[in-house]
Amino acid sequence: MSLRELRLKRGMTQQQLADKIGVTQQRIASFETGQRPIGGMSLDVALRFCDALKISNPRKLLDDSEPSKEQVSDR
């Protein structure tokens, strides 16, 4: 499940998530669009994402974080 899907599943906007974890809305957007790789975020930020999104396993953030071949070719 993508970061966007996890956020929407919790009924949060990008701004609400950003406020909850202490980053900017633009940073959330860049993680969701793949401009900033999720695998490159710090452990601290990853744990804050997990707390905010009620994810028990931080590896779930990495699930589906790699853009598919279709997404890459569309850019």
Side-chain angles (χ1 to χ4, degrees):
M1 189 173 285
S2 71
L3 179 58
R4 181 177 187 272
E5 292 170 326
L6 289 167
R7 174 180 59 78
L8 292 174
K9 186 177 178 181
R10 299 292 182 233
M12 300 173 82
T13 65
Q14 287 181 345
Q15 188 62 56
Q16 289 169 327
L17 179 58
D19 291 343
K20 194 163 191 164
I21 66 172
V23 299
T24 64
Q25 179 272 328
Q26 291 82 6
R27 191 166 181 191
I28 301 294
S30 66
F31 282 129
E32 287 186 2
T33 61
Q35 291 176 332
R36 182 179 279 228
I38 291 175
M41 74 172 64
S42 70
L43 179 59
D44 177 56
V45 172
L47 292 175
R48 286 187 275 157
F49 266 104
C50 289
D51 287 343
L53 296 172
K54 298 179 175 98
I55 300 169
S56 59
N57 183 351
R59 289 183 185 266
K60 284 194 175 191
L61 287 176
L62 296 173
D63 290 350
D64 197 37
S65 67
E66 295 298 317
S68 69
K69 289 178 183 176
E70 289 176 3
Q71 290 172 324
V72 172
S73 65
D74 288 345
R75 291 182 185 173

